[in-house]
Amino acid sequence: MINSSQLKALCAVIEQGGVSAAANTLFCVPSNITKKIKELESEFGLCLFHRERNRLILTAEGRTFYQKAQEYLALHAQGRSLFYDEPIVGELRIGALDIALSHHLPEPIAHYRIAHPEIKLNIVHGHSLELERQLQAGELDLIFSDGPIEHPLMGGVLAFTEQLVLVGAEPVEIPKQTLYAFPSTCHYRHLIEASLNMQGIRPQTLLEIESYPIIFALIQAGKGCAFIPRSLAEAQGVPHYSEPIQSNIYALWRKGAICHLGSEFIEKVTNVSLISDAKNNEAKVIKTQQKPSQT
């Protein structure tokens, strides 16, 4: 089968005027050059050179073959440049909770975009359960959601620390208040209900609202209360009450499907070094606390 080294040998002999000069150009011994030319002649059933004593004279077939060899080597060099001379352009499909997108990821993503302008980022927001579904279905490459998570098909690492705090009322006032919360597809909802149940507290009314700005507007108007991410409450300058509920954000991926771009992105935005498993190329993390997957 023809290969580029054979064609390079042929072109070097013709362009350098002999086998010895070609061998010097290609940094090999003359016998290698002679061997490669004979392989070409045998492969195609052609006589590329007339041999007269110590001279090689190009035949008519040899001239035509030389032109084709030049064209092939030019195309080969062009093809290599697509992979070696230019950066590999890729796309990452990322999902994240609203709080991750609004408070934790903007600055790291901005720095990542400056360092890697060739990488296209496709970022969507959603509730934790929906993000996990999309991740498992292969619709997303990685997500930033609640964790830690225990799932046979998913791995994760702590990305950002976060807490839920009560705003708009003190805990003892909740039974007389309207409590605003995201739908049950949001893991925060489950954390809030579990915390209230442990304390034996039941709100007068629970109203589902999928918008922190609307929740803040209602609370500032003196209507109701809500558990919201601490970073958001502090950014808004809203006083908060009660013991916070831990609600850390984790970077999650499908086991065995974490690509180089994905692991590099996680490391850049979280400053967490992922340990590559040479056997299955997925990241290993030590988990001290885990939550079951809701999906």
Side-chain angles (χ1 to χ4, degrees), residues 131-184:
L131 292 175
E132 290 176 20
R133 184 201 65 77
Q134 293 182 65
L135 179 65
Q136 292 178 49
E139 298 169 11
L140 296 173
D141 298 312
L142 57 97
I143 63 174
F144 289 84
S145 185
D146 308 287
I149 189 168
E150 183 177 14
H151 192 286
L153 301 179
M154 294 171 62
V157 65
L158 176 64
F160 311 107
T161 57
E162 187 59 85
Q163 297 174 322
L164 295 176
V165 294
L166 179 63
V167 299
E170 294 191 27
V172 295
E173 300 174 310
I174 292 178
K176 299 179 181 180
Q177 296 279 340
T178 296
L179 179 67
Y180 306 116
F182 275 51
S184 58

Side-chain angles (χ1 to χ4, degrees), residues 2-26 32-34 36-38 40 48-49 56 58 61-76:
I2 190 173
N3 59 59
S4 59
S5 66
Q6 294 170 330
L7 297 180
K8 288 178 181 178
L10 170 69
C11 292
V13 168
I14 296 171
E15 293 163 4
Q16 300 301 320
V19 172
S20 297
N24 291 333
T25 300
L26 298 179
N32 283 351
I33 300 295
T34 301
K36 292 181 186 299
I37 291 176
K38 288 183 177 180
L40 282 176
L48 300 176
F49 294 95
L56 291 179
L58 195 62
E61 291 176 328
R63 283 193 297 271
T64 302
F65 197 89
Y66 171 58
Q67 293 174 353
K68 292 183 180 295
Q70 287 179 308
E71 294 173 4
Y72 176 90
L73 291 174
L75 290 173
H76 184 262

Side-chain angles (χ1 to χ4, degrees), residues 272-293:
V272 174
S273 179
L274 301 184
I275 304 172
S276 178
D277 183 338
K279 183 177 180 181
N280 54 24
N281 195 34
E282 71 187 33
K284 292 181 176 179
V285 295
I286 299 175
K287 304 174 185 177
T288 58
Q289 178 185 5
Q290 297 177 316
K291 76 174 179 74
S293 171

